[in-house]
Amino acid sequence: MKQKLLQTLLVLFITAAFAKETKAQPVTQNLNISFLLDLSDRIDPKKNPGIYQRDLQYIKSVQKAFVNHVRGKKMLLLKDQMQVFFNPLPNIPNINELSEQLKVDFNPKTSKKNFLIIDKIYTDNSAKIYQSAIKDHNYVGSDIWKFFKNNVREYCIKPQHRNILVILTDGYMYYKDSKIEEAGKSSYITSQFLNLQKLTTASYQSIMKQKNLGFIAFPYNLKELEIIVLGINPSAKNPYEEDVIKQYWTDWFKAMKVKKFELRTTDLAANLDPVIKDFIQGSHKQ
């Protein structure tokens, strides 16, 4: 009888301890990381040598930070995921299969094998996607604006998670079927457009304010979303182009109440690796 009572008490103790630990586990410890890849002509090796390789290294840095995070958690507390999105869908063989494999979900039932193969999956499949897009050479652009309009809330925000969106882009935004202008605001910017608006001097901010320039925002409250933009690559012909591009993105994110964001110009992966790591770990402060 005593032994049975002790066993019952032990079970109750373990259950209570686990419940307490689970309750104490902050939701920010559940990561939901999404990638949005810009597969426009920015990745063309002839136009921008080395850019797509940098993208692959940035992806690897995020993936490593994600794996380090889940490895630091107890199996019973795992509730983390990572996935990749495109808009529009690139004309790549097996793109659905490749995308599905890049959607990883770690939970208490996850096999240890998944921890071992995630690096290979992300390295191999990401490279296949970029290389296939380059080989296809049909760069239709990247409709980041419409992704935010139609998909970002549904695809990238998960309750009880710390939601992070990683956007790999040169900072310009253009898609032939989403070219809209409304009272100064637009769904796109290109280097030519910025020159046309005379955003080429130190007074670019006052010009933007006077003309009401900026991206068309949506009445969304993205307070549960953190965003890091990697790979901004401004034209060297305009010394203020980087500032203007970042101003467009900053105003856009603030208008949609994005919780936290970081805008980074293209750089060696080794230089951005600690920045990415800090952002994923949550130590970055805006």
Side-chain angles (χ1 to χ4, degrees), residues 31-36 81 83-85 147-148 150-159 161-167 222 224-227:
L31 282 184
N32 174 41
I33 298 179
S34 304
F35 289 95
L36 179 58
Q81 66 181 54
Q83 54 271 318
V84 176
F85 299 111
F147 181 85
F148 269 78
N150 297 335
N151 308 122
V152 72
R153 291 180 297 173
E154 180 182 358
Y155 291 178
C156 304
I157 298 177
K158 189 177 177 69
H161 283 71
R162 181 170 169 236
N163 301 290
I164 300 174
L165 174 59
V166 181
I167 305 177
L222 302 180
E224 300 300 324
L225 185 64
E226 301 173 39
I227 303 175

Side-chain angles (χ1 to χ4, degrees), residues 255-266:
M256 295 185 289
K257 299 179 176 60
V258 172
K259 181 178 181 179
K260 183 172 73 174
F261 61 87
E262 176 86 355
L263 306 171
R264 285 286 172 166
T265 308
T266 187

